[in-house]
Amino acid sequence: MDSGRVRPPALRWRELGAAERQQALRRPAQVDGAEIAEVVAALIEDVRMRGDVALRALTARFDGVVLDDLAVTEAEFSAAETAVSPALAAAIGDAAGRIEQFHAAGMIPPYAVETAPGVRCERVLRPIRRVGLYVPAGSAPLPSTALMLGIPARLAGCRDVVLCTPPRADGSVDPAVLVAAAHCGVRKVFKIGGAQAIAAMALGTDSVPACDKLFGPGNAFVTEAKRQVSRLEGGAGIDLPAGPSEVLVIADAGANPGFVAADLLSQAEHGPDSQVILISDDADLINRVAARIELQLADLPRADIARHALRAARMIQVENLDEAFEISNDYAPEHLILAVRDARAWLPRVQAAGSVFLGDWAPEALGDYCSGTNHVLPTSGAARFVGGLNVASFQLAITVQEVDQQGLRAIGPCAIELASAEGLDAHRLAVARRLDVA
Amino acid sequence: MDSGRVRPPALRWRELGAAERQQALRRPAQVDGAEIAEVVAALIEDVRMRGDVALRALTARFDGVVLDDLAVTEAEFSAAETAVSPALAAAIGDAAGRIEQFHAAGMIPPYAVETAPGVRCERVLRPIRRVGLYVPAGSAPLPSTALMLGIPARLAGCRDVVLCTPPRADGSVDPAVLVAAAHCGVRKVFKIGGAQAIAAMALGTDSVPACDKLFGPGNAFVTEAKRQVSRLEGGAGIDLPAGPSEVLVIADAGANPGFVAADLLSQAEHGPDSQVILISDDADLINRVAARIELQLADLPRADIARHALRAARMIQVENLDEAFEISNDYAPEHLILAVRDARAWLPRVQAAGSVFLGDWAPEALGDYCSGTNHVLPTSGAARFVGGLNVASFQLAITVQEVDQQGLRAIGPCAIELASAEGLDAHRLAVARRLDVA
């Protein structure tokens, strides 16, 4: 690869051995985990010991601003409403409406079943009592993430919602983030970023209430902080194992190379560690996409980030689309675009992915912002075993059993038999003592 | 506390300060985490390097048996069917029927919503491709756990299910566990226990297939192994943060002290680190329960374990039941028994718990075995933010968006506005380039 061009290596899948195939699908190596873990552990300990004092010191150090009050005031919320253009405010409301519509329709209901006469088993749902949302602002503020976290939290019925996002150099929070938060009914917003925000929401300080579960994407420090606080005794829960963002596009000969190139670039601009993969059964399509990437890069302000990410890009030529879906299912991409004819007919072949985009008119950007699905999705292969955020992520499903004397007589003997087989006599006796009376 | 009696300290909640209250609700201290982590890391590395050779060596060392074949054969399955008594076989089938009935009724459906003309958003469900179940056999084999893992896996549609359970000294697996596994359609059973079983299912060996997600309870080594393999690059997912089992009983003056004592003991016999808590607004009830515990202990074969666990037990006297529910919600018990009059009326007060047992005739043992609910539940306070196992735990919920040209025209401008606000130009362009054509 010469330095001026970024055409990623095109691989003919059939010609690769097992080790080469494995190598081709490896995620880009992450920054040094041990070093990050050490830094983060020290930050968490600092927040535990010094609370708000630590938060202010860390904010001065990492965000370059000295804050008296970490909380966003009502005056700041009001100012944000006027600072945001009407077009942007409308877009936030418009996106929120579709996100709410889709998420509300997928809520799990409570239910009850009489599994034996006198034995009623139920699932009841409760909002998680206090949730903490993290909205990163690394290279740009992300009002869309405030919506993707805040809307399901509200639908779940969470009354106590805390949101942390890094302050800008002037000590303010991006107004679009505040408008999006307010749209979800979130008014407890703190100007705290990075691992210190996670520590604050997990442990609580004088300003920031301790939360039961933490949500939201972030860089390697945020991710490590979530992992560490979730291991503490009585620590907060966390949403998803998070890693760099990724897209896999399966394209056939009929795909539009310009669209495919644009989709690959929209993923690549996320960060230098983003991964983009194109799989096609058509060598010509691959070449045309590669050429379009070169052309389109010229227009991109974030071309440097994209170029960096493209170094880890893969373009894979397969014999047929069946093979493409096998590879995709093994890779389990966060985003999967099916730029193939009759895309819906291929959907049953998708066995592992975060979110799927069907056809030529469904760029990933629609899912990132406003189709209605959530953009907080499993990365790093976690789509093999977990789906993205949804309302249930903000709820507890508690099971209940209500048993009367008749019910105990019906199923008690079964419990006694099994408890005996397991050698758990006190279990057996807890039933038997009641049966003697019942 | 004298050595002969195990009456736990009765605490009057109103008389405790904040620190004493916090101390009263602390889970018992766990065994040394750092040492376990080191042992487990070495075991995982051994399994990674030597595969089946390591598994055989570790099985010889920890289970005291040298095995040629780690897999349970069809002949062993057949032998198990005849080795299990008809009464036990019937109890397994009976319990399985109710567990299946309750779990099937709670499955989440796929759904689709048109969020704008030409924009169809969906949730589709896929079974996780390969799941690994761990059935411990520490002090006793646990056929009930095989049902609690195997039934939701089958309902989820998982076709590739692996189960590991420790062999007995004669190299066989407990026949009741095999009968329960077969009842769930699980035929890939391996005689492997402990952290090495988790390593085998996460990494794969010549005998044991690598799994996408691991399920099931276990001791501190198993729990640590699950945690470690879930952190590996491309590592398997895991079900729940697991810790020692626990029960909290809220009892009023009308409760039956003998029943309450039996329930507390049935939890205490699980292990020396189990925690049991009784909260009542009636001092007399607390005294009578304590007396019954002494009496009932005399009958228990596992009295030593129970006595040990009872050292960490708490009996808390409150002014009224409102206070009892506040304490319970803060503690977030795995099991919550409401031995109160009109228990159902109190259910809305439960904000955090794994599984709830209503009334005097619902001992925890019914939920452990055969009411229909799952017994793999959040411990160590995790019930603040997560529920127990269910069919969805074995499925992926994948979101899908299908967008046509009309749909892109409808929502594309919204995405463009938000992408611009976030400074993500390639996102904007992925939409804009299509809109130019559409």
Side-chain angles (χ1 to χ4, degrees):
Chain A
M1 182 170 59
D2 70 54
S3 63
R5 298 177 63 212
V6 291
R7 176 171 298 206
L11 306 167
R12 289 181 63 97
W13 198 248
R14 283 285 163 95
E15 293 169 7
L16 303 183
E20 289 165 309
R21 289 180 174 191
Q22 205 176 3
Q23 184 55 36
L25 296 185
R26 274 195 84 165
R27 263 78 180 175
Q30 294 308 297
V31 275
D32 180 15
E35 196 177 309
I36 289 181
E38 210 172 300
V39 170
V40 166
L43 282 181
I44 292 173
E45 195 50 30
D46 191 14
V47 173
R48 181 205 297 282
M49 298 302 289
R50 298 196 296 153
D52 286 342
V53 173
L55 293 178
R56 288 202 192 85
L58 293 164
T59 302
R61 182 165 136 210
F62 292 114
D63 303 294
V65 54
V66 177
L67 296 174
D68 283 335
D69 194 354
L70 295 164
V72 170
T73 64
E74 281 303 312
E76 287 176 295
F77 270 110
S78 302
E81 300 285 345
T82 55
V84 162
S85 76
L88 180 52
I92 288 171
D94 190 31
R98 278 188 297 277
I99 296 165
E100 177 158 347
Q101 189 190 355
F102 178 69
H103 283 69
M107 289 173 68
I108 37 175
Y111 74 101
V113 174
E114 197 179 55
T115 58
V119 180
R120 180 185 157 97
C121 292
E122 295 175 59
R123 169 176 71 201
V124 299
L125 295 159
R126 298 285 186 264
I128 294 177
R129 287 201 291 172
R130 194 182 282 145
V131 297
L133 317 182
Y134 184 68
V135 176
S139 47
L142 299 175
S144 59
T145 299
L147 297 179
M148 295 294 177
L149 302 175
I151 289 169
R154 187 180 55 189
L155 288 170
C158 297
R159 288 194 196 153
D160 210 348
V161 181
V162 173
L163 187 151
C164 284
T165 193
R168 301 189 289 192
D170 66 357
S172 69
V173 163
D174 178 75
V177 169
L178 289 185
V179 168
H183 198 97
C184 307
V186 178
R187 315 291 297 191
K188 271 187 208 150
V189 176
F190 296 93
K191 301 168 184 175
I192 314 171
Q196 60 271 28
I198 301 302
M201 294 192 283
L203 303 169
T205 70
D206 287 343
S207 298
V208 184
C211 299
D212 296 307
K213 186 174 176 184
L214 309 183
F215 297 84
N219 61 21
F221 291 88
V222 168
T223 299
E224 176 60 25
K226 285 168 72 181
R227 195 147 40 196
Q228 288 191 17
V229 297
S230 74
R231 286 202 56 168
L232 299 175
E233 185 193 329
I238 56 173
D239 51 352
L240 284 174
S245 195
E246 58 203 27
V247 71
L248 189 152
V249 181
I250 299 179
D252 62 11
N256 181 315
F259 294 179
V260 173
D263 289 338
L264 296 174
L265 284 171
S266 77
Q267 189 59 48
E269 79 169 342
H270 266 300
D273 52 3
S274 295
Q275 188 164 25
V276 301
I277 296 181
L278 169 64
I279 309 182
S280 179
D281 56 353
D282 188 70
D284 187 47
L285 187 275
I286 292 178
N287 285 327
R288 288 161 67 203
V289 169
R292 290 300 190 109
I293 288 177
E294 304 275 357
L295 280 174
Q296 293 183 15
L297 264 173
D299 298 339
L300 281 190
R302 293 167 70 103
D304 283 350
I305 292 174
R307 276 178 206 279
H308 194 114
L310 287 168
R311 283 188 214 145
R314 298 281 182 274
M315 297 208 167
I316 298 172
Q317 187 189 335
V318 289
E319 302 298 309
N320 51 56
L321 291 183
D322 296 313
E323 204 172 37
F325 281 89
E326 276 172 38
I327 297 170
S328 175
N329 286 330
D330 285 342
Y331 181 78
E334 181 190 15
H335 304 98
L336 173 61
I337 298 177
L338 302 187
V340 297
R341 301 323 89 199
D342 195 8
R344 173 157 293 276
W346 289 98
L347 181 58
R349 307 294 285 276
V350 177
Q351 296 299 319
S355 197
V356 184
F357 299 77
L358 295 186
D360 297 324
W361 305 99
E364 187 204 307
L366 295 185
D368 290 341
Y369 291 118
C370 63
S371 63
T373 62
N374 207 290
H375 80 197
V376 180
L377 295 165
T379 55
S380 309
R384 289 181 296 130
F385 55 80
V386 71
L389 271 201
N390 56 75
V391 179
S393 313
F394 294 82
Q395 292 176 312
L396 289 173
I398 300 175
T399 55
V400 179
Q401 36 264 297
E402 185 175 25
V403 184
D404 63 16
Q405 284 178 286
Q406 183 195 14
L408 186 75
R409 280 194 293 260
I411 70 169
C414 175
I416 287 176
E417 185 70 35
L418 287 163
S420 304
E422 297 188 355
L424 293 174
D425 286 271
H427 284 62
R428 178 178 59 75
L429 286 166
V431 178
R433 287 182 200 280
R434 284 170 165 92
L435 276 178
D436 288 346
V437 182
Chain B
M1 181 171 60
D2 71 54
S3 63
R5 297 177 64 210
V6 291
R7 177 170 300 206
L11 306 167
R12 289 181 64 97
W13 199 248
R14 284 285 164 97
E15 294 169 5
L16 303 184
E20 290 164 309
R21 288 180 175 190
Q22 205 176 3
Q23 183 56 35
L25 296 184
R26 274 194 83 165
R27 264 78 181 175
Q30 295 307 297
V31 275
D32 180 17
E35 197 177 310
I36 289 181
E38 209 173 302
V39 170
V40 166
L43 282 180
I44 292 172
E45 195 49 31
D46 192 14
V47 172
R48 181 204 296 283
M49 298 302 288
R50 297 197 297 153
D52 285 343
V53 173
L55 293 177
R56 288 202 192 85
L58 293 164
T59 302
R61 182 165 137 209
F62 293 115
D63 303 294
V65 53
V66 176
L67 296 175
D68 283 336
D69 194 354
L70 296 164
V72 170
T73 63
E74 281 303 312
E76 288 176 294
F77 270 110
S78 302
E81 301 284 345
T82 56
V84 162
S85 76
L88 180 52
I92 289 172
D94 191 30
R98 277 189 297 278
I99 296 165
E100 177 157 346
Q101 189 191 355
F102 178 69
H103 283 69
M107 290 173 68
I108 32 175
Y111 75 101
V113 174
E114 197 180 53
T115 57
V119 180
R120 179 185 158 97
C121 291
E122 295 175 58
R123 169 176 72 203
V124 299
L125 296 159
R126 299 284 187 265
I128 294 177
R129 286 200 291 173
R130 192 182 283 144
V131 297
L133 316 182
Y134 185 67
V135 175
S139 46
L142 298 176
S144 60
T145 299
L147 297 180
M148 295 293 178
L149 303 176
I151 289 169
R154 187 180 54 188
L155 288 171
C158 297
R159 288 193 196 153
D160 210 349
V161 182
V162 173
L163 188 151
C164 284
T165 194
R168 301 190 289 194
D170 66 357
S172 69
V173 163
D174 178 74
V177 169
L178 289 186
V179 168
H183 198 97
C184 307
V186 179
R187 314 291 297 191
K188 271 188 209 151
V189 177
F190 296 93
K191 301 169 184 173
I192 315 172
Q196 60 272 27
I198 300 302
M201 293 192 284
L203 304 170
T205 69
D206 287 343
S207 298
V208 184
C211 299
D212 296 307
K213 186 174 177 184
L214 308 184
F215 298 84
N219 62 19
F221 291 89
V222 168
T223 299
E224 176 61 23
K226 284 168 72 181
R227 195 146 41 196
Q228 288 192 17
V229 298
S230 74
R231 286 201 56 167
L232 298 175
E233 185 193 328
I238 58 174
D239 51 351
L240 284 174
S245 196
E246 58 204 27
V247 71
L248 188 152
V249 181
I250 299 179
D252 63 11
N256 182 316
F259 294 179
V260 173
D263 288 339
L264 296 174
L265 285 171
S266 76
Q267 189 58 48
E269 79 169 342
H270 266 299
D273 53 2
S274 295
Q275 187 164 25
V276 302
I277 296 181
L278 170 64
I279 308 181
S280 179
D281 56 353
D282 188 70
D284 187 49
L285 187 274
I286 292 178
N287 285 327
R288 288 160 67 202
V289 169
R292 290 300 189 108
I293 287 177
E294 304 275 359
L295 280 173
Q296 293 183 17
L297 264 173
D299 298 340
L300 282 189
R302 293 166 71 102
D304 283 351
I305 292 173
R307 275 178 206 279
H308 195 113
L310 286 169
R311 283 188 214 146
R314 298 281 182 273
M315 298 207 167
I316 298 172
Q317 187 190 334
V318 289
E319 302 298 310
N320 53 55
L321 291 183
D322 295 313
E323 204 172 35
F325 281 89
E326 276 171 38
I327 298 170
S328 175
N329 286 330
D330 284 342
Y331 182 77
E334 180 189 15
H335 305 98
L336 173 61
I337 298 177
L338 302 187
V340 296
R341 301 323 90 199
D342 195 10
R344 173 157 293 276
W346 289 98
L347 181 58
R349 307 293 285 276
V350 177
Q351 295 300 318
S355 198
V356 184
F357 299 78
L358 296 186
D360 298 324
W361 306 99
E364 187 204 307
L366 296 184
D368 289 342
Y369 292 119
C370 62
S371 62
T373 62
N374 207 291
H375 79 197
V376 180
L377 295 165
T379 56
S380 308
R384 289 181 295 129
F385 56 79
V386 71
L389 271 201
N390 56 76
V391 179
S393 313
F394 293 83
Q395 292 176 312
L396 289 174
I398 300 175
T399 55
V400 179
Q401 37 264 295
E402 185 176 23
V403 183
D404 62 17
Q405 282 179 287
Q406 183 195 15
L408 185 74
R409 280 193 293 260
I411 70 170
C414 176
I416 286 177
E417 186 69 36
L418 286 163
S420 303
E422 297 187 356
L424 292 174
D425 286 271
H427 284 62
R428 178 178 60 75
L429 286 166
V431 178
R433 287 181 200 281
R434 283 171 166 94
L435 278 178
D436 288 346
V437 182

